[in-house]
Amino acid sequence: MTTIGVIGAGAIGSAFARAAASKGISVILSNSRGPASLVERVRELGPLVKAGTREEAAAQPIVLVAVNWSKLPAALAGLPDFAGRIVIDANNPIEAPLFKGVDLHGRTSSAVFSELVPGARVVKAFNHLQPQLISADPGREGGRRVLFFSGDDPQARETVGGLINRLGFFGIDLGMLDVGARLVQFPGGPLPALNLVRFA
């Protein structure tokens, strides 16, 4: 699989980078402070994870975005059109320390997010599990930990489903964003934080 760009080097972004690198996938990890601020982080995550600029991460064929909700507009501002590339929305409209949901006026967070990544094929994934579960071994007592995903482009969903499978998780396709994103959105959806295991 090709290199994956990650915008946001916090808990979720770093957990994803660790999981990907453990399966032989190269990652370009970026944040708002620049590559020099990530030297120790990428050293900890291993040789397949490189620090890069936000622009370098955004230029990859698959990009995962995991940024505090209020900082998303700034994190994505000024980037070129994504021109059909896949962008994974791993965000939730909530922030510490209060964890109070943002009023989206009935819209899903993915609908709002999609407006910030013009030209992207958005897939919602990696937002409903705690970071330590994303980076941990997904094998559980002979089963595989479940990850949900959804998106409006069938081919993009298939690609992200394949990535989830390669990482060792069992992916469940929730279909279109308007349905799937609402189910996994935190707060509000019924699926976030459920640590489910699929047994064959």
Side-chain angles (χ1 to χ4, degrees):
M1 178 171 283
T2 187
T3 299
I4 296 176
V6 175
I7 298 176
I12 293 293
S14 295
F16 173 84
R18 185 186 301 278
S22 73
K23 299 300 183 182
I25 300 171
S26 297
V27 174
I28 295 178
L29 186 66
S30 70
N31 66 5
S32 61
R33 296 180 298 281
S37 69
L38 293 170
V39 172
E40 291 302 320
R41 179 66 53 86
V42 298
R43 183 178 294 129
E44 172 200 351
L45 294 173
L48 288 178
V49 181
K50 291 173 41 183
T53 65
R54 184 183 61 128
E55 290 76 12
E56 287 171 329
Q60 303 310 307
I62 299 176
V63 183
L64 179 133
V65 180
V67 176
N68 285 340
W69 185 258
S70 64
K71 297 178 180 178
L72 269 172
L76 298 170
L79 292 173
D81 188 282
F82 282 87
R85 286 177 289 118
I86 295 171
V87 176
I88 299 173
D89 171 17
N91 307 281
N92 286 307
I94 195 167
E95 288 184 28
L98 297 179
F99 294 104
K100 181 180 179 181
V102 176
D103 185 1
L104 301 178
H105 306 288
R107 304 178 73 198
T108 65
S109 61
S110 287
V112 176
F113 175 83
S114 294
E115 294 177 351
L116 301 175
V117 286
R121 293 184 291 159
V122 174
V123 177
K124 185 78 169 180
F126 297 98
N127 72 297
H128 84 278
L129 285 179
Q130 297 170 323
Q132 67 269 24
L133 297 179
I134 292 174
S135 59
D137 182 358
R140 296 279 300 191
E141 300 172 356
R144 289 189 291 162
R145 185 170 280 119
V146 168
L147 270 177
F148 300 104
F149 63 101
S150 60
D152 293 341
D153 184 280
Q155 187 180 42
R157 286 207 314 270
E158 182 179 352
T159 298
V160 174
L163 170 61
I164 287 170
N165 184 67
R166 178 165 173 177
L167 297 183
F169 294 91
F170 184 85
I172 294 182
D173 186 345
L174 297 177
M176 303 290 280
L177 273 178
D178 190 52
V179 175
R182 209 172 289 278
L183 290 173
V184 298
Q185 183 169 297
F186 179 75
L191 300 178
L194 290 181
N195 183 13
L196 305 177
V197 177
R198 163 68 183 247
F199 294 97

